[in-house]
Structures are given as C-alpha cells and as structure tokens.
Amino acid sequence: MERVPVLKIGDILLVSIQIDMEDQVALQLQEDLAERIVATGCHGVIIDISALDIVDSFVGRTLATIASISRVLDAETVVVGMRPAVAITLVELGLSLPGIRTALNVELGMALLARDRAGDDEPVVESEAEPEEVPEP
C-alpha cells in the first residue's frame, strides 16, 4: 500500500497528496499524521490536494476528521490547492468540512498558519491601493 509522505517544515507538517486517495490510504494518512503531530509538537498542518482531480464523500469526511484530530492535538489544519471541480463536488455532496480552513496555495496556507500562531488579525496580503484621506472635522 502506498503512503502519503508527511514533511516537517519548521512548525508545520506538510502533506502533499500526489496519489489516488483510496479509502485505506486516507485512513493510513489519518493515523500517520496524528502520530507525527504528537512526535514533532507541530502546531500547523497543510494538506495540499492540488493533484486530486476528484474527491469522494469518504475522502472529504476523512479530511474533516483529520482536522478534528489535529485540533485536539493543538494543530490547525489548512487545505490548499483545491481545484474548482473538487470544491463544487464537496458542496454538492453537502460536505462543509468543519474545522478546515482553506488557502489557494501552500505559500498562502503557511502565511495563514503563521498569522494565526502570532495572534495577528491583519490580512496576509496587503492592498496596493492608496489609503483614503479622511477629512478633518
């Protein structure tokens, strides 16, 4: 059985799913990830699903379960690289993925986790527009 690699980058575990997510692979990933969170003490998990063309209801529920397990182990989960067709399928299946935050790519996911860890509520990407002048009373 193939396994999904779990890489440690600083305080984050990065999971890049590059294989078909069969049920047994998804369950093994769930176990592997929980063990790595405990072993490393990481506080963030990024799951890159950009290589997945389709996600069924089992894989969607497994992602939600992974996020719940991670949260209990003091790690936040961000799913990145979701294709539009995958997002549409998840919505059509009625899977809202509770506890999972999303970002367009790994870089934005890492910035989101870093911002959360710092307790900063400022936006990750700053606007390039000039600030509006407020007239004095």
Side-chain angles (χ1 to χ4, degrees):
M1 176 181 67
E2 292 186 81
R3 290 176 97 117
V4 177
V6 179
L7 307 173
K8 183 177 183 291
I9 302 174
D11 195 29
I12 295 172
L13 294 176
L14 174 62
V15 178
S16 182
I17 301 172
Q18 300 292 318
I19 59 174
D20 289 335
M21 283 295 287
E22 297 171 5
D23 293 358
Q24 192 59 38
V25 173
L27 291 172
Q28 187 63 52
L29 172 61
Q30 183 175 304
E31 289 179 31
D32 291 347
L33 197 50
E35 289 175 10
R36 288 292 303 271
I37 291 169
V38 171
T40 63
C42 286
H43 295 285
V45 175
I46 294 178
I47 303 175
D48 181 3
I49 62 169
S50 59
L52 296 182
D53 292 324
I54 54 173
V55 172
D56 64 14
S57 61
F58 180 78
V59 172
R61 285 191 308 272
T62 301
L63 289 173
T65 301
I66 286 171
S68 296
I69 292 168
S70 299
R71 197 172 326 105
V72 169
L73 297 173
D74 194 29
E76 293 300 317
T77 301
V78 178
V79 172
V80 302
M82 188 178 303
R83 294 179 183 216
V86 171
I88 291 167
T89 301
L90 289 173
V91 170
E92 288 175 347
L93 290 172
L95 298 172
S96 60
L97 302 181
I100 295 183
R101 299 171 75 186
T102 59
L104 293 177
N105 57 44
V106 173
E107 183 179 5
L108 291 174
M110 291 179 82
L112 179 62
L113 289 172
R115 183 183 75 207
D116 286 352
R117 198 74 185 138
D120 186 7
D121 290 331
E122 293 298 313
V124 174
V125 180
E126 295 181 17
S127 172
E128 303 222 359
E130 293 294 319
E132 293 182 29
E133 291 185 26
V134 178
E136 293 185 22

